[in-house]
PDB file of all heavy atoms in Angstrom:
ATOM      1  N   ALA A  93     -33.275  12.469  -2.749  1.00 53.00           N
ATOM      2  CA  ALA A  93     -33.095  12.080  -4.146  1.00 53.00           C
ATOM      3  C   ALA A  93     -31.691  11.518  -4.336  1.00 53.00           C
ATOM      4  O   ALA A  93     -31.488  10.484  -4.983  1.00 53.00           O
ATOM      5  CB  ALA A  93     -33.304  13.278  -5.051  1.00 53.00           C
ATOM      6  N   ASP A  94     -30.703  12.179  -3.741  1.00 50.00           N
ATOM      7  CA  ASP A  94     -29.322  11.722  -3.866  1.00 50.00           C
ATOM      8  C   ASP A  94     -29.150  10.333  -3.268  1.00 50.00           C
ATOM      9  O   ASP A  94     -28.404   9.506  -3.785  1.00 50.00           O
ATOM     10  CB  ASP A  94     -28.373  12.698  -3.161  1.00 50.00           C
ATOM     11  CG  ASP A  94     -28.413  14.088  -3.795  1.00 50.00           C
ATOM     12  OD1 ASP A  94     -28.802  14.169  -4.973  1.00 50.00           O
ATOM     13  OD2 ASP A  94     -28.082  15.057  -3.104  1.00 50.00           O
ATOM     14  N   GLN A  95     -29.868  10.100  -2.162  1.00 54.00           N
ATOM     15  CA  GLN A  95     -29.728   8.799  -1.509  1.00 54.00           C
ATOM     16  C   GLN A  95     -30.298   7.683  -2.372  1.00 54.00           C
ATOM     17  O   GLN A  95     -29.988   6.527  -2.202  1.00 54.00           O
ATOM     18  CB  GLN A  95     -30.435   8.809  -0.145  1.00 54.00           C
ATOM     19  CG  GLN A  95     -29.689   9.655   0.876  1.00 54.00           C
ATOM     20  CD  GLN A  95     -30.505   9.872   2.141  1.00 54.00           C
ATOM     21  OE1 GLN A  95     -31.420   9.119   2.430  1.00 54.00           O
ATOM     22  NE2 GLN A  95     -30.172  10.911   2.878  1.00 54.00           N
ATOM     23  N   ASN A  96     -31.191   8.065  -3.325  1.00 57.00           N
ATOM     24  CA  ASN A  96     -31.772   7.054  -4.198  1.00 57.00           C
ATOM     25  C   ASN A  96     -30.898   6.747  -5.405  1.00 57.00           C
ATOM     26  O   ASN A  96     -31.337   6.122  -6.355  1.00 57.00           O
ATOM     27  CB  ASN A  96     -33.165   7.497  -4.674  1.00 57.00           C
ATOM     28  CG  ASN A  96     -34.162   7.437  -3.529  1.00 57.00           C
ATOM     29  OD1 ASN A  96     -33.922   6.725  -2.555  1.00 57.00           O
ATOM     30  ND2 ASN A  96     -35.240   8.183  -3.635  1.00 57.00           N
ATOM     31  N   GLY A  97     -29.683   7.240  -5.422  1.00 56.00           N
ATOM     32  CA  GLY A  97     -28.755   6.827  -6.463  1.00 56.00           C
ATOM     33  C   GLY A  97     -28.428   7.897  -7.486  1.00 56.00           C
ATOM     34  O   GLY A  97     -27.473   7.770  -8.239  1.00 56.00           O
ATOM     35  N   SER A  98     -29.213   9.001  -7.514  1.00 53.00           N
ATOM     36  CA  SER A  98     -28.885  10.045  -8.496  1.00 53.00           C
ATOM     37  C   SER A  98     -27.639  10.785  -8.016  1.00 53.00           C
ATOM     38  O   SER A  98     -27.312  10.734  -6.830  1.00 53.00           O
ATOM     39  CB  SER A  98     -30.069  11.002  -8.662  1.00 53.00           C
ATOM     40  OG  SER A  98     -30.638  11.289  -7.417  1.00 53.00           O
ATOM     41  N   PRO A  99     -26.933  11.471  -8.937  1.00 50.00           N
ATOM     42  CA  PRO A  99     -25.675  12.109  -8.527  1.00 50.00           C
ATOM     43  C   PRO A  99     -25.889  13.129  -7.415  1.00 50.00           C
ATOM     44  O   PRO A  99     -26.899  13.835  -7.388  1.00 50.00           O
ATOM     45  CB  PRO A  99     -25.192  12.797  -9.814  1.00 50.00           C
ATOM     46  CG  PRO A  99     -26.280  12.680 -10.816  1.00 50.00           C
ATOM     47  CD  PRO A  99     -27.287  11.698 -10.324  1.00 50.00           C
ATOM     48  N   VAL A 100     -24.943  13.191  -6.486  1.00 48.00           N
ATOM     49  CA  VAL A 100     -25.053  14.115  -5.357  1.00 48.00           C
ATOM     50  C   VAL A 100     -25.027  15.540  -5.874  1.00 48.00           C
ATOM     51  O   VAL A 100     -24.111  15.937  -6.589  1.00 48.00           O
ATOM     52  CB  VAL A 100     -23.897  13.886  -4.352  1.00 48.00           C
ATOM     53  CG1 VAL A 100     -23.899  14.951  -3.262  1.00 48.00           C
ATOM     54  CG2 VAL A 100     -24.008  12.496  -3.745  1.00 48.00           C
ATOM     55  N   SER A 101     -26.085  16.336  -5.566  1.00 48.00           N
ATOM     56  CA  SER A 101     -26.122  17.713  -6.048  1.00 48.00           C
ATOM     57  C   SER A 101     -25.508  18.643  -5.007  1.00 48.00           C
ATOM     58  O   SER A 101     -24.371  19.058  -5.089  1.00 48.00           O
ATOM     59  CB  SER A 101     -27.554  18.117  -6.378  1.00 48.00           C
ATOM     60  OG  SER A 101     -28.440  17.715  -5.354  1.00 48.00           O
ATOM     61  N   LYS A 102     -26.263  18.948  -3.975  1.00 47.00           N
ATOM     62  CA  LYS A 102     -25.722  19.841  -2.940  1.00 47.00           C
ATOM     63  C   LYS A 102     -26.179  19.315  -1.581  1.00 47.00           C
ATOM     64  O   LYS A 102     -27.158  18.571  -1.507  1.00 47.00           O
ATOM     65  CB  LYS A 102     -26.221  21.264  -3.173  1.00 47.00           C
ATOM     66  CG  LYS A 102     -27.738  21.391  -3.182  1.00 47.00           C
ATOM     67  CD  LYS A 102     -28.066  22.851  -3.358  1.00 47.00           C
ATOM     68  CE  LYS A 102     -29.465  23.243  -3.383  1.00 47.00           C
ATOM     69  NZ  LYS A 102     -30.661  22.868  -3.431  1.00 47.00           N
ATOM     70  N   PRO A 103     -25.487  19.707  -0.527  1.00 45.00           N
ATOM     71  CA  PRO A 103     -25.914  19.211   0.777  1.00 45.00           C
ATOM     72  C   PRO A 103     -27.372  19.591   1.028  1.00 45.00           C
ATOM     73  O   PRO A 103     -27.781  20.723   0.775  1.00 45.00           O
ATOM     74  CB  PRO A 103     -24.984  19.932   1.763  1.00 45.00           C
ATOM     75  CG  PRO A 103     -23.843  20.410   0.956  1.00 45.00           C
ATOM     76  CD  PRO A 103     -24.348  20.611  -0.438  1.00 45.00           C
ATOM     77  N   PHE A 104     -28.176  18.641   1.522  1.00 48.00           N
ATOM     78  CA  PHE A 104     -29.590  18.867   1.796  1.00 48.00           C
ATOM     79  C   PHE A 104     -29.724  19.729   3.038  1.00 48.00           C
ATOM     80  O   PHE A 104     -30.618  20.518   3.184  1.00 48.00           O
ATOM     81  CB  PHE A 104     -30.254  17.508   1.996  1.00 48.00           C
ATOM     82  CG  PHE A 104     -31.713  17.575   2.330  1.00 48.00           C
ATOM     83  CD1 PHE A 104     -32.603  18.237   1.493  1.00 48.00           C
ATOM     84  CD2 PHE A 104     -32.216  16.947   3.462  1.00 48.00           C
ATOM     85  CE1 PHE A 104     -33.958  18.275   1.786  1.00 48.00           C
ATOM     86  CE2 PHE A 104     -33.565  16.989   3.758  1.00 48.00           C
ATOM     87  CZ  PHE A 104     -34.430  17.652   2.919  1.00 48.00           C
ATOM     88  N   HIS A 105     -28.780  19.550   3.928  1.00 52.00           N
ATOM     89  CA  HIS A 105     -28.863  20.214   5.209  1.00 52.00           C
ATOM     90  C   HIS A 105     -27.460  20.687   5.576  1.00 52.00           C
ATOM     91  O   HIS A 105     -26.516  19.937   5.437  1.00 52.00           O
ATOM     92  CB  HIS A 105     -29.351  19.181   6.248  1.00 52.00           C
ATOM     93  CG  HIS A 105     -29.961  19.824   7.430  1.00 52.00           C
ATOM     94  ND1 HIS A 105     -29.214  20.491   8.356  1.00 52.00           N
ATOM     95  CD2 HIS A 105     -31.245  19.937   7.818  1.00 52.00           C
ATOM     96  CE1 HIS A 105     -30.029  20.982   9.277  1.00 52.00           C
ATOM     97  NE2 HIS A 105     -31.263  20.665   8.967  1.00 52.00           N
ATOM     98  N   PRO A 106     -27.299  21.912   6.011  1.00 48.00           N
ATOM     99  CA  PRO A 106     -25.952  22.405   6.301  1.00 48.00           C
ATOM    100  C   PRO A 106     -25.264  21.674   7.454  1.00 48.00           C
ATOM    101  O   PRO A 106     -24.053  21.628   7.514  1.00 48.00           O
ATOM    102  CB  PRO A 106     -26.164  23.880   6.658  1.00 48.00           C
ATOM    103  CG  PRO A 106     -27.622  24.020   6.963  1.00 48.00           C
ATOM    104  CD  PRO A 106     -28.325  22.951   6.207  1.00 48.00           C
TER     105      PRO A 106
END
Side-chain angles (χ1 to χ4, degrees):
D94 298 337
Q95 289 170 21
N96 289 339
S98 42
V100 173
S101 45
K102 58 178 181 350
F104 178 56
H105 202 288

